[in-house]
Amino acid sequence: LWSVLFFNPNISLCMLFTKSLLIKSEQLLRIEDHDFAMRPGFGGSAIPVGIDVQVESIDSISEVNMDFTMTLYLRHYWQDDRLAFPSSNNKSRTFDARLVKKIWVPDVFFVHSKRSFIHDTTMENIMLRVYPDGNILYSVRITVTALCSMDFSRFPLDTQNCSLELESYAYNENDLMLYWKNGNDSLRTDEIALSQFFIEEFHPSFGLAFYSSTGWYNRLYINFILRRHIFFFMLQTYFPTMLMVMLSWVSFWIDRRAVPARVSLGITTVLTMSTIITGVSASMPQVSYVKAVDIYLWASFLFVFLSVIEYAAVNYFTTVEEMKKLQKGKLPVSYDATQAMAYDGCFHDDIDVSPFPELPTTPSTTRTIPPRASSTEPPPTEGTRLWRKRSVGKNIRFIMSNSYMIDSYSRIIFPVAYLLFNIIYWCIYS
């Protein structure tokens, strides 16, 4: 040791002492005497490897990528008689990542993982603890991003079931048997708080996975159930949508002749609804089925769109009605219909009608009015009522000739229909 210090003065005494201790540990564990490329008990029965996991945090959950990122402590337990060593006080020895590279450790990997890494600040977060009887504890701190197949048919009123799956890569069930070391108590979690989800349950499970070329493998599952918080989407999506729909109803109380006011209000609400739909779609994966939020947004968009169509109908029927009045002579000849329409887009029926001059009567223009045929029915007596049954077609023609009634009916029909839609929607999805 002193000769090494003499020829290498830059090497500190602490580093040499650590290296010397490591060499003594390797000699104590007789690492050079065995082939640790082979699993313990090679050629015999499968080696049991116990697993327990402590979940430190769920860092993120992405609906667009359909994955989650989790940081956890993964601990392995097995026995390797080749590492047994004599000890007078029966105390274990603890090592870091440097010794791990020289012995056999289970090759556990995460199924369906996209990315994973072992933390290395300030050193690799790896611990190896060897007991005198050959029992081994191998612990690593890992962050893994894994796939979660999510169903968004009820989004954002959905509940997602995700799982992190562990499996040996090289050793099938004939060589290595993975199991939860302490049963359901093998999975522990810290206090985890997520911004958009509430964790309803964490539980472990196990099963078998079959590969046609290599056989059956033991697989362990870390299952957790996530329920989405709805309040964020109520503030960002549902409440603005409701307000836009109710804002579109304001046009029913605006005079039907105020074309610029009603048209601009209708177009504004339609464009705002389009912006809300685009914003929600941009934050979601492009799935091929309809989501719950899509049903609500598009139904609300339909109500807003129908309010614009309603005014188009009112404006058209008003124009037709005033054209008929003009043709029947109820409007003066001097009335400039084109100029009136250019002002606000429709004809007016509130113009003072001046009396027309009387036409001279000529023999060719005089008409003889035949006497009305006498009816055999007796006249109605006092206190009786006359009931006239009006057909559907007549009702429609009556509304068309009185276009202001469309606004009156819309003030009731639109809110009632939207309220009924909301009751049905929330009863189904909540």
Side-chain angles (χ1 to χ4, degrees):
L1 179 61
W2 295 110
S3 61
V4 173
L5 281 174
F6 179 77
F7 291 106
N8 299 278
N10 294 326
I11 300 178
S12 64
L13 180 62
C14 182
M15 293 177 60
L16 288 175
F17 179 77
T18 304
K19 185 176 181 180
S20 175
L21 183 61
L22 183 60
I23 294 174
K24 290 182 179 180
S25 299
E26 293 179 5
Q27 293 175 352
L28 178 66
L29 298 175
R30 304 187 308 277
I31 292 179
E32 299 297 335
D33 297 342
H34 303 282
D35 182 9
F36 284 96
M38 311 298 292
R39 69 171 180 85
F42 178 76
S45 59
I47 175 175
V49 176
I51 298 290
D52 74 45
V53 172
Q54 180 174 349
V55 179
E56 180 181 355
S57 65
I58 297 179
D59 304 321
S60 64
I61 298 173
S62 174
E63 291 89 355
V64 176
N65 299 322
M66 300 184 74
D67 59 25
F68 64 92
T69 301
M70 178 186 293
T71 299
L72 53 89
Y73 298 93
L74 178 62
R75 302 184 181 99
H76 312 68
Y77 301 86
W78 75 96
Q79 185 173 10
D80 191 344
D81 295 332
R82 296 173 294 183
L83 296 177
F85 62 91
S87 176
S88 58
N89 52 12
N90 199 30
K91 289 185 177 180
S92 62
R93 294 203 172 212
T94 303
F95 307 94
D96 56 19
R98 289 173 290 181
L99 188 64
V100 172
K101 297 180 177 63
K102 298 184 178 182
I103 67 171
W104 182 90
V105 293
D107 59 340
V108 174
F109 79 105
F110 298 99
V111 185
H112 306 308
S113 66
K114 297 181 178 180
R115 296 174 300 276
S116 62
F117 63 91
I118 298 175
H119 290 259
D120 56 0
T121 305
T122 58
M123 292 283 291
E124 283 188 297
N125 297 171
I126 296 177
M127 183 198 72
L128 181 69
R129 182 171 294 169
V130 182
Y131 293 87
D133 57 355
N135 284 314
I136 299 173
L137 165 61
Y138 171 54
S139 176
V140 292
R141 181 168 176 254
I142 302 176
T143 293
V144 56
T145 300
L147 176 68
C148 179
S149 298
M150 301 182 183
D151 180 15
F152 297 107
S153 59
R154 299 179 66 88
F155 177 88
L157 303 165
D158 56 334
T159 299
Q160 302 296 341
N161 297 317
C162 298
S163 63
L164 184 63
E165 305 171 10
L166 294 81
E167 184 181 305
S168 173
Y169 189 83
Y171 300 100
N172 59 24
E173 64 172 352
N174 297 322
D175 292 320
L176 189 145
M177 181 183 67
L178 281 179
Y179 68 97
W180 291 110
K181 188 176 186 301
N182 300 312
N184 291 333
D185 296 331
S186 301
L187 180 60
R188 295 182 293 274
T189 61
D190 296 337
E191 291 294 332
I192 300 176
L194 301 176
S195 59
Q196 292 191 23
F197 291 92
F198 173 75
I199 302 177
E200 289 190 340
E201 185 181 358
F202 253 112
H203 68 277
S205 62
F206 65 92
L208 291 173
F210 177 75
Y211 300 91
S212 59
S213 57
T214 53
W216 293 91
Y217 290 78
N218 295 115
R219 181 176 292 184
L220 304 182
Y221 300 87
I222 302 173
N223 305 298
F224 54 98
I225 301 176
L226 303 171
R227 180 167 54 86
R228 195 181 305 274
H229 294 305
I230 186 61
F231 189 69
F232 171 81
F233 295 93
M234 292 295 295
L235 292 179
Q236 298 295 323
T237 303
Y238 286 99
F239 285 160
T241 301
M242 293 178 186
L243 291 177
M244 285 301 105
V245 174
M246 289 186 287
L247 183 61
S248 67
W249 301 338
V250 175
S251 65
F252 303 150
W253 275 265
I254 300 177
D255 187 76
R256 56 195 169 121
R257 299 172 185 84
V259 177
R262 295 190 66 163
V263 170
S264 60
L265 179 61
I267 296 302
T268 300
T269 52
V270 168
L271 293 178
T272 305
M273 284 299 305
S274 301
T275 303
I276 295 175
I277 293 173
T278 303
V280 173
S281 301
S283 61
M284 293 297 299
Q286 306 300 318
V287 295
S288 59
Y289 50 85
V290 179
K291 303 180 289 292
V293 68
D294 294 335
I295 295 176
Y296 193 89
L297 290 177
W298 283 104
S300 300
F301 183 85
L302 180 62
F303 276 94
V304 173
F305 181 76
L306 288 177
S307 68
V308 178
I309 299 300
E310 184 269 351
Y311 178 62
V314 170
N315 185 271
Y316 173 75
F317 293 145
T318 302
T319 303
V320 172
E321 178 183 353
E322 295 183 350
M323 284 290 293
K324 289 180 179 179
K325 290 182 180 180
L326 184 62
Q327 292 174 357
K328 290 180 180 179
K330 293 184 178 181
L331 295 178
V333 179
S334 60
Y335 175 63
D336 189 355
T338 305
Q339 183 179 359
M341 286 189 66
Y343 176 72
D344 61 2
C346 65
F347 288 96
H348 293 265
D349 56 359
D350 56 351
I351 298 175
D352 295 334
V353 181
S354 58
F356 288 89
E358 295 183 359
L359 297 176
T361 58
T362 60
S364 61
T365 59
T366 56
R367 294 182 181 179
T368 58
I369 301 175
R372 185 175 298 176
S374 60
S375 175
T376 58
E377 296 180 359
T381 60
E382 185 178 359
T384 62
R385 295 181 180 179
L386 295 177
W387 296 94
R388 296 180 61 187
K389 293 185 179 179
R390 190 179 295 166
S391 64
V392 177
K394 290 182 178 180
N395 285 329
I396 295 176
R397 287 192 294 272
F398 176 75
I399 294 175
M400 290 174 60
S401 61
N402 299 273
S403 56
Y404 66 91
M405 297 182 63
I406 300 178
D407 279 342
S408 301
Y409 287 131
S410 298
R411 295 170 190 173
I412 300 174
I413 294 174
F414 273 73
V416 170
Y418 193 65
L419 178 62
L420 182 62
F421 163 72
N422 274 273
I423 293 174
I424 296 174
Y425 179 87
W426 293 107
C427 288
I428 293 176
Y429 290 104
S430 62

